[in-house]
Amino acid sequence: MFPTDFVWGASTAAFQIEGATDVDGRGRSIWDTFCATPGKVLGGDTGEPAADHYRLFREDIALIKELGLGNYRFSIAWPRVQPDGRGPVNQAGLDFYERLVDNLLDQGVRPWPTLYHWDLPQALENAGGWPHRDTALRFADYAAVVHERLGDRVADWSTLNEPWVVAFLGYASGEHAPGRTEPAASLAAVHHLLLGHGLATQVIREQAAGNDAPTRMGIVLNTQTVRPLRDTVADRDAARRIDALRNRIFLDPLHHGRYPADLLRDVAHITDFGFVRPGDLETIQAPLDVMGVNFYNPSLVAGPATDVPRDKRDATGGGDGASPWPGSEDVQFLLSGLPRTGQGWEVDATGLRDLLVRLAADYPRLPLYVTENGAAYEDTVAEDGRVHDPERRQYLEQHIRAAHAALEAGAPLKGYFVWSLLDNLEWAFGYSQRFGIVYVDRATQRRVVKDSGYWYGGVARTGTVG
Ligand code: IFM
């Protein structure tokens, strides 16, 4: 049984569900450009029509309510609010999010907006993107604009979603927009994302102090449980490197105001971190009220391994099993032989329990929320008109039980959000992956609650995994 005040919700992100990329003055984002570049996104899929949520949001909120979920995590599209990422505010874009928030509140659903879930205005990328310091300052301006409009009604703010993905898949491996493969730039991006987070947190807190509204600030990280294959020096060192690059590169500046010394050594041949200016780390260390944790699967790694067979290498974790991240070039990502989701990700809920317990131990007292967790499988509407998805239900059940185990072990876990409310655009995988607890018919936009959605609604209503 979960505590009665445990938060249950569902998550989405603007570019993945909204569609309407060309209406009401929205500017172009790096994902519009990336989708339009041949070969970047599977099937040539684009942000149109996605789940047409811009038009159907009321219907979607009604579904959230019907399922008994009291919380909805969504993201705000920067290019709707500031089409060029700076300067004039597009009121029509802000109006949309105001309608969304008001409708959520009318239905008794608490809004949890994220200010940045990867859709950087293209104009800012043209000026250098996240590796360029000015982007952090522009992000804080944008955060101030959004908070000014919605701060009287929204208490729970996240600045960034998964800055690891933004920096390393966007600027190092190039699998994500803007598709750059510049290792040094990816590390500068990490710092400017964190700086943007700190500046946005500061400005929102200042504004909130003026209007007396309750405000809780957080950031969402896709922190990872990283396990070495064997208890050898090489494999333990591989795990240490990936832990530094995946977890501590964000957690240490946020919590301790410094980058990890071992990370700085690992990437010294790429950059000297000269982009860190006096005062930056104090800004980044601005106190957090909550931390969001997105978890899908743990990583199993080994050192430079001539003796790891090719079929044990995890092609979903980094190309041919080799890491694409700067400073970990020799690390091998491996498969442990567990069942996999439709997308090929291994299912191992013990990774979630271990992660939450570790975060609670290393960064104590900070309330934790699982802000994303879920799985993609090939869903179809059956003859009875329903979507039977026993594997997703099982995945969710195992992970919710693991979250409960972490809670019992003392982790200050306060809530769980499933990824995702709706089937949506899974970035470079296009529409090929269905993560929703609600099926979306791409041709008609009809929504069908999947069996896992009804099951999850029962968990949310009772606080018990039945
Ligand atoms: O779809 C993404 C989401 O945008 C960020 N976290 C991981 C999800 C599944 O890949």
Side-chain angles (χ1 to χ4, degrees):
M1 187 79 177
F2 283 85
T4 48
D5 60 352
F6 196 82
V7 159
W8 296 99
S11 286
T12 63
F15 190 73
Q16 294 180 270
I17 60 164
E18 285 179 357
T21 54
D22 213 9
V23 307
D24 291 344
R26 177 185 178 278
R28 200 174 169 79
S29 84
I30 54 174
W31 272 95
D32 297 297
T33 307
F34 199 67
C35 289
T37 310
K40 296 294 186 195
V41 174
L42 204 66
D45 290 342
T46 71
E48 289 290 354
D52 204 10
H53 173 79
Y54 192 81
R55 205 169 51 82
L56 299 176
F57 73 92
R58 289 186 188 81
E59 191 179 310
D60 293 335
I61 294 171
L63 276 175
I64 296 172
K65 186 177 177 186
E66 183 190 316
L67 288 175
L69 306 178
N71 299 273
Y72 177 51
R73 173 176 176 256
F74 58 96
S75 80
I76 292 175
W78 190 346
R80 286 200 194 281
V81 176
Q82 280 180 305
D84 286 332
R86 64 175 83 232
V89 173
N90 175 36
Q91 296 302 335
L94 270 180
D95 291 347
F96 169 68
Y97 294 106
E98 185 162 67
R99 287 196 296 277
L100 180 74
V101 164
D102 286 347
N103 200 275
L104 285 165
L105 293 171
D106 286 349
Q107 301 299 320
V109 179
R110 186 160 137 202
W112 295 68
T114 300
L115 288 163
Y116 185 73
H117 197 127
W118 310 353
D119 41 3
L120 185 71
Q122 182 62 45
L124 291 185
E125 176 55 32
N126 296 347
W130 284 109
H132 185 53
R133 187 179 176 90
D134 185 60
T135 303
L137 279 60
R138 302 290 68 81
F139 178 65
D141 292 348
Y142 150 71
V145 166
V146 176
H147 177 264
E148 198 170 273
R149 175 72 83 92
L150 300 176
D152 58 341
R153 280 155 284 179
V154 169
D156 298 285
W157 296 88
S158 293
T159 52
L160 308 174
N161 182 73
E162 300 182 8
W164 179 88
V165 170
V166 178
F168 291 118
L169 302 193
Y171 293 95
S173 73
E175 296 156 73
H176 274 200
R180 285 164 59 181
T181 48
E182 302 163 37
S186 72
L187 291 159
V190 165
H191 182 64
H192 297 137
L193 282 154
L194 283 169
L195 183 62
H197 155 81
L199 292 168
T201 302
Q202 241 169 30
V203 74
I204 290 180
R205 285 208 198 281
E206 279 160 22
Q207 291 187 172
N211 72 8
D212 242 13
T215 305
R216 287 176 290 274
M217 295 303 302
I219 185 170
V220 172
L221 302 176
N222 57 331
T223 38
Q224 181 71 307
T225 300
V226 186
R227 295 170 174 153
L229 177 66
R230 298 157 295 207
D231 191 18
T232 61
V233 172
D235 291 1
R236 280 200 311 270
D237 193 58
R240 176 200 60 73
R241 277 174 184 266
I242 299 304
D243 180 52
L245 274 165
R246 179 85 186 226
N247 299 322
R248 290 181 286 117
I249 191 171
F250 297 105
L251 292 166
D252 284 9
L254 287 166
H255 295 282
H256 303 312
R258 56 174 151 70
Y259 285 101
D262 59 331
L263 168 89
L264 297 179
R265 279 196 304 277
D266 290 344
V267 300
H269 60 295
I270 297 169
T271 174
D272 61 3
F273 271 57
F275 39 74
V276 180
R277 297 202 189 155
D280 284 2
L281 287 160
E282 287 75 11
T283 303
I284 291 169
Q285 208 188 347
L288 288 169
D289 299 306
V290 301
M291 198 166 73
V293 176
N294 291 356
F295 179 87
Y296 290 88
N297 56 348
S299 289
L300 181 67
V301 298
T306 42
D307 56 341
V308 173
R310 285 187 79 78
D311 65 347
K312 285 267 175 287
R313 297 187 190 170
D314 181 2
T316 64
D320 187 23
S323 167
W325 315 333
S328 65
E329 292 80 1
D330 286 341
V331 173
Q332 306 295 313
F333 284 83
L334 307 173
L335 295 168
S336 45
L338 290 165
R340 299 206 250 163
T341 67
Q343 201 175 11
W345 296 356
E346 287 195 325
V347 180
D348 181 359
T350 65
L352 177 60
R353 182 202 59 214
D354 291 356
L355 177 64
L356 294 169
V357 169
R358 178 258 172 112
L359 290 173
D362 288 1
Y363 308 94
R365 286 182 297 282
L366 188 63
L368 300 173
Y369 289 82
V370 174
T371 31
E372 286 183 24
N373 176 240
Y377 290 101
E378 270 182 39
D379 301 309
T380 47
V381 181
E383 273 180 14
D384 61 4
R386 303 195 43 167
V387 177
H388 303 298
D389 57 342
E391 290 167 306
R392 181 175 296 100
R393 181 207 140 130
Q394 192 185 24
Y395 178 99
L396 296 179
E397 179 168 347
Q398 287 171 351
H399 285 78
I400 291 170
R401 287 189 190 281
H404 192 260
L407 197 60
E408 287 198 316
L413 183 67
K414 305 293 178 196
Y416 174 97
F417 292 74
V418 70
W419 182 269
S420 177
L421 177 68
L422 302 169
D423 290 341
N424 58 45
L425 179 89
E426 177 54 15
W427 306 109
F429 290 92
Y431 295 100
S432 68
Q433 304 298 322
R434 293 183 175 273
F435 270 93
I437 54 168
V438 177
Y439 180 92
V440 177
D441 181 313
R442 282 208 62 208
T444 63
Q445 292 295 338
R446 193 166 68 95
R447 273 71 166 141
V448 181
V449 177
K450 301 179 191 177
D451 288 356
S452 62
Y454 288 117
W455 174 83
Y456 178 59
V459 173
R461 277 193 295 270
T462 60
T464 316
V465 181

